[in-house]
Amino acid sequence: MPLRPRLLRAGDLVRFDGRLQTVAALEGTAVRLVDEAQSASVVMLAHLLAGEDFEVVTPVSVRTVLPAAGVLEGLPSKAVERAGWWQRHLVEMLTGRPFNDPHGPVRGEYDPAVRSLRQRELTKVAELDAAGTAVSLTVLQDMRARFEREGVLGLVDPRLRSAPDGTGRADRRVVAALRKVVEEQTARSTVSAQVLRRRMERLLEDEHGAGVVPLPSRATFYRLLKAVSSGRHTLGSARTRRSLAKQPDGMFGQLTAVRPGEVMEIDSTPLDVLVVHDDGTVDTVELTGIVDIATRTLAAAVLRPSTKAVDAALLLARAMTPEPMRPGWPDALRMSRSVLPHVSLTALDERLAKAAAIPVITPETIVCDRGKAYISDTFRSACQSLGISFQPAHPDTPTDKPHIETTLGSVATMFVSHLLGHKGRSTEHRGTDPAAQAVWSMHQLQELLQEWIVIWQNRPHDGLRDPLMPGKALSPNEKYAALVAAAGHVPVALSPDEYIELLPRCRRTINSYGIRLGHRTYDSTELTPFRRQSSGVGPGGKGWEVHYDPYDISRIWVRNHREGGWITAIWRHLRTAPMPMGELAWDHARRVLAERGADPVTEEEIAQAAVALLDRAADGPRDTAGRPSGRSRKDRKVAARTRTTSAPSWPRPAPATPAEPPPPDAEEPEEGEGALADVVPLGIFDTRKEAEKWW
């Protein structure tokens, strides 16, 4: 540690602001300086001492040494003892006083006011030589310079001052090769230490030749591996190892949001619970949620067999729509009973009078990962139409959206783990038969989740502490009420037209028979004035903008580029599908027919096949074990997802024209089910009877 001035006194010569100045006077926290040109100035003492070029150049007689605290810890005892010996002699040579008595009498032979530095150095060399310790003048001067520059730490051998990394005196080539092996192991599967040792040996042979580098013993290798792989989980969980490798090397950043909706994060994760789907299958579900950073509000969350782009887009609409009270919910969950400013908010939107205690938040910026559901044109268009800034995270960097990651993890630990059918996060934590305990359907689980979210809003959150009262943790609703009072916030509900804007879009031609979309034909009487005409807008000016719902292919919406608004076109074969049918079921049915050699197939055949698939799902399982038979896992997943999204929780705009009823003389479609074949029993194999047979 360098020498510092003991006191700043009047008359001291200091270097400040690029020139030498003399301290003329000190009064309180003010210092009066006079430079060589006799120009006076007054500066604050704190500003003077914090100056980058501030230096006291007063003779060393008024200088002392700050005590070293902890700088020598961990060094060998002999090195510490040697540094203390040098410190005592150097302080005496520089100040004239003993090291342990800075205010004692000055020794005449070391008095800085009488003897020059050269004279004092020669005197100290002679004194040490007489005491039996021969030290040359060059060594003394070098130690004195290091002491003035670095303090007592400069008196230690530089070879001992390097930060210990646990590798000791091992060959640097061996350590470098082992570090490289450990780095490459990050993305690989976990192996034993012996495998890593063999990789290190091969790497040393490739780089330096066989037998050139001495290999460490088995015990030394394990010691080096422990030191090099510290904190990396090299021999542990591969998932944890990859997660740690994704953390930034520098200091973690922190994003501070000062108003609701300023920054929100969205993500999806599979839940560790088995549920009963509508067709009787037992499988997992995915949770997609959106959280507000400023208030930690879980603004919306939906359960789906698998997350699609339209799910993420419509999740934005749910965050901007009041959550209604459900039958059976306690009255304490109403917004009117919460700390939310319901009086002022109800004056803006009457629906909030019967809403649950979840704030309506309009997103300004959305942070998401680079999953297909979020980087799709559907989600980007939804953000653009709502005026939301779309901000994708860096590739493979979950630390860019830590709040939603933590929130979804809280849902897994605080909600999912209490459900019947909880299967644990891995096979290691799984019970004997969690599928047998699965009793909740997806719709029932969604209702339970919505009620739990309302309770979450009133639970103190450790990340919402008042800076003026750190011991007080606020709930998301309390934080929302505080920020709204300070920043102001007006919830804006979505209209039916805005809902249509959130749907996926494409461009199609309005033909004489209607609009073809996905091998389906849609038509409406309102399309008559625009048949076989160009829209005049968009690429080429020919196609008309069409929006569609992937989970209900019964209708589409065509933008009226001439008069404004939307035209609802109904599917021509809607009468063959008594329930909403999804795009997933349609495409799956078409692929099944194509694999049977019936491609190209007609639109009506695809519709009948898709309806038959959904009918089998509605009939439920046929075997005694309670599981559907005769269908693949893909069939069950498609049917389950279609059934799940057949009755969406968000309001759909009413169609412009009613569905066309079937004609009176229309024939009913033939049943696709054929007569059941006779079951031929297979007897038990008997070796004696088989031996008596003559083949």
Side-chain angles (χ1 to χ4, degrees):
M1 184 173 294
L3 298 173
R4 299 291 297 170
R6 181 180 61 184
L7 293 173
L8 188 64
R9 303 172 180 174
D12 283 348
L13 185 64
V14 299
R15 188 184 306 277
F16 178 71
D17 199 18
R19 60 186 187 273
L20 292 176
Q21 305 185 61
T22 304
V23 178
L26 294 97
E27 183 178 359
T29 58
V31 181
R32 183 178 181 86
L33 302 176
V34 178
D35 60 10
E36 297 176 344
Q38 302 301 314
S39 176
S41 62
V42 178
V43 297
M44 301 300 294
L45 179 61
H47 179 66
L48 175 67
L49 298 179
E52 295 182 358
D53 60 342
F54 171 72
E55 180 185 4
V56 177
V57 295
T58 304
V60 74
S61 60
V62 296
R63 299 183 129 195
T64 186
V65 180
L66 292 178
V71 296
L72 302 180
E73 290 183 359
L75 296 176
S77 58
K78 291 185 178 180
V80 175
E81 182 180 352
R82 183 68 175 174
W85 181 84
W86 271 111
Q87 184 180 21
R88 290 192 301 271
H89 287 285
L90 291 175
V91 169
E92 184 182 39
M93 183 189 71
L94 293 173
T95 64
R97 294 182 173 91
F99 172 74
N100 54 1
D101 188 10
H103 302 288
V106 179
R107 293 182 59 180
E109 60 270 28
Y110 295 114
D111 188 356
V114 179
R115 307 293 295 269
S116 65
L117 179 61
R118 176 75 173 186
Q119 292 174 333
R120 284 176 283 158
E121 290 176 345
L122 293 174
T123 303
K124 177 58 69 173
V125 170
E127 178 183 335
L128 294 177
D129 185 61
T133 305
V135 175
S136 65
L137 178 62
T138 303
V139 172
L140 179 66
Q141 292 175 339
D142 179 62
M143 298 299 289
R144 188 259 306 168
R146 287 162 55 182
F147 180 60
E148 291 180 336
R149 183 174 62 252
E150 304 178 49
V152 67
L153 188 61
L155 303 178
V156 181
D157 190 342
R159 294 172 295 179
L160 301 176
R161 292 161 49 188
S162 59
D165 57 358
T167 58
R169 299 182 179 180
D171 194 321
R172 295 296 95 185
R173 295 171 293 181
V174 174
V175 176
L178 184 56
R179 291 186 186 277
K180 186 174 181 180
V181 169
V182 171
E183 289 288 345
E184 295 175 349
Q185 184 62 23
T186 301
R188 295 186 175 184
S189 302
T190 303
V191 294
S192 64
Q194 291 300 319
V195 177
L196 300 181
R197 183 181 183 184
R198 179 55 187 158
R199 292 178 184 172
M200 180 197 70
E201 294 174 356
R202 295 183 59 185
L203 183 60
L204 290 173
E205 292 179 0
D206 295 339
E207 293 182 352
H208 306 284
V212 176
V213 179
L215 299 178
S217 64
R218 183 173 181 271
T220 303
F221 170 78
Y222 275 102
R223 178 179 60 82
L224 295 177
L225 179 61
K226 181 180 179 181
V228 171
S229 62
S230 177
R232 294 175 175 267
H233 282 257
T234 302
L235 302 178
S237 171
R239 180 178 180 181
T240 304
R241 183 167 62 251
R242 291 190 297 269
S243 179
L244 293 175
K246 296 175 184 177
Q247 293 182 356
D249 296 331
M251 183 180 65
F252 287 9
Q254 183 178 2
L255 178 63
T256 302
V258 298
R259 58 184 180 274
E262 182 179 2
V263 180
M264 302 184 74
E265 297 174 353
I266 186 174
D267 197 11
S268 302
T269 184
L271 292 184
D272 300 326
V273 63
L274 297 174
V275 300
V276 181
H277 292 259
D278 290 344
D279 67 337
T281 59
V282 177
D283 209 337
T284 58
V285 293
E286 281 192 5
L287 170 65
T288 302
I290 179 172
V291 67
D292 176 47
I293 293 182
T295 63
R296 299 300 197 274
T297 295
L298 190 55
V302 294
L303 298 176
R304 290 290 182 265
S306 58
T307 303
K308 302 296 181 182
V310 68
D311 294 331
L314 295 180
L315 193 66
L316 300 177
R318 296 197 58 167
M320 301 170 61
T321 306
E323 180 67 30
M325 286 289 296
R326 310 294 176 89
W329 285 11
D331 192 64
L333 300 183
R334 292 184 178 274
M335 181 178 291
S336 57
R337 299 284 302 276
S338 67
V339 298
L340 296 174
H342 58 90
V343 177
S344 58
L345 296 178
T346 305
L348 301 173
D349 194 338
E350 297 180 355
R351 295 178 298 174
L352 297 177
K354 300 181 180 180
I358 301 180
V360 180
I361 300 179
T362 302
E364 298 180 19
T365 302
I366 287 289
V367 180
C368 60
D369 57 22
R370 296 179 179 269
K372 291 183 179 180
Y374 306 116
I375 62 174
S376 62
D377 293 337
T378 301
F379 187 71
R380 289 174 178 265
S381 300
C383 294
Q384 183 179 5
S385 61
L386 295 175
I388 301 174
S389 176
F390 176 76
Q391 182 62 53
H394 294 86
D396 202 21
T397 309
T399 53
D400 282 356
K401 47 181 182 60
H403 303 89
I404 185 62
E405 298 281 353
T406 304
T407 302
L408 295 181
S410 300
V411 174
T413 56
M414 301 171 58
F415 173 68
V416 176
S417 58
H418 296 276
L419 297 172
L420 286 175
H422 177 247
K423 66 182 184 66
R425 64 178 183 269
S426 64
T427 55
E428 183 181 358
H429 300 84
R430 189 164 302 170
T432 304
D433 189 9
Q437 302 177 0
V439 296
W440 296 110
S441 67
M442 190 176 305
H443 293 290
Q444 293 172 332
L445 193 60
Q446 180 73 52
E447 295 290 333
L448 292 176
L449 178 62
Q450 291 300 130
E451 185 175 0
W452 181 86
I453 291 176
V454 181
I455 299 174
W456 162 276
Q457 290 297 121
N458 296 276
R459 178 182 177 274
H461 196 290
D462 191 61
L464 299 176
R465 294 190 177 274
D466 193 336
L468 301 179
M469 296 182 296
K472 171 66 174 177
L474 304 178
S475 67
N477 281 352
E478 291 174 340
K479 187 67 173 182
Y480 178 87
L483 292 182
V484 166
H489 180 70
V490 179
V492 181
L494 294 179
S495 64
D497 289 346
E498 291 173 326
Y499 165 79
I500 298 176
E501 291 284 0
L502 290 175
L503 298 177
R505 69 177 185 272
C506 61
R507 289 196 170 272
R508 290 294 184 270
T509 303
I510 303 179
N511 298 302
S512 56
Y513 52 82
I515 297 176
R516 293 281 293 179
L517 178 62
H519 301 278
R520 299 179 298 275
T521 303
Y522 297 86
D523 204 356
S524 172
T525 57
E526 298 184 31
L527 296 177
T528 302
F530 312 116
R531 300 183 190 275
R532 299 185 301 276
Q533 295 187 20
S534 300
S535 63
V537 297
K542 295 183 179 180
W544 294 72
E545 184 177 346
V546 175
H547 286 222
Y548 60 94
D549 189 343
Y551 303 137
D552 185 6
I553 61 176
S554 61
R555 68 203 67 210
I556 61 175
W557 292 270
V558 184
R559 188 186 297 275
N560 192 336
H561 297 290
R562 306 291 175 78
E563 303 173 1
W566 297 90
I567 300 175
T568 303
I570 306 300
W571 183 25
R572 187 177 63 180
H573 290 277
L574 180 61
R575 62 182 181 272
T576 65
M579 58 175 292
M581 184 190 304
E583 183 84 25
L584 188 63
W586 173 272
D587 293 340
H588 180 66
R590 186 175 182 275
R591 285 195 298 269
V592 170
L593 292 179
E595 292 175 358
R596 296 176 183 173
D599 199 22
V601 293
T602 63
E603 177 182 347
E604 185 174 0
E605 290 174 339
I606 301 176
Q608 291 177 357
V611 171
L613 170 65
L614 301 182
D615 287 343
R616 292 196 302 271
D619 293 340
R622 298 181 180 179
D623 56 341
T624 57
R627 296 290 185 270
S629 59
R631 287 186 292 141
S632 65
R633 179 181 177 88
K634 180 65 175 178
D635 292 341
R636 297 194 298 269
K637 292 283 285 187
V638 170
R641 179 168 183 83
T642 304
R643 297 281 297 180
T644 301
T645 56
S646 61
S649 56
W650 55 83
R652 281 195 177 129
T657 58
E660 178 184 356
D665 55 347
E667 297 182 359
E668 295 293 333
E670 297 180 359
E671 293 290 337
E673 300 287 344
L676 294 178
D678 296 334
V679 178
V680 180
L682 181 62
I684 301 177
F685 181 77
D686 191 339
T687 56
R688 296 182 179 180
K689 292 183 178 181
E690 293 294 327
E692 296 176 356
K693 292 182 179 181
W694 179 262
W695 300 94

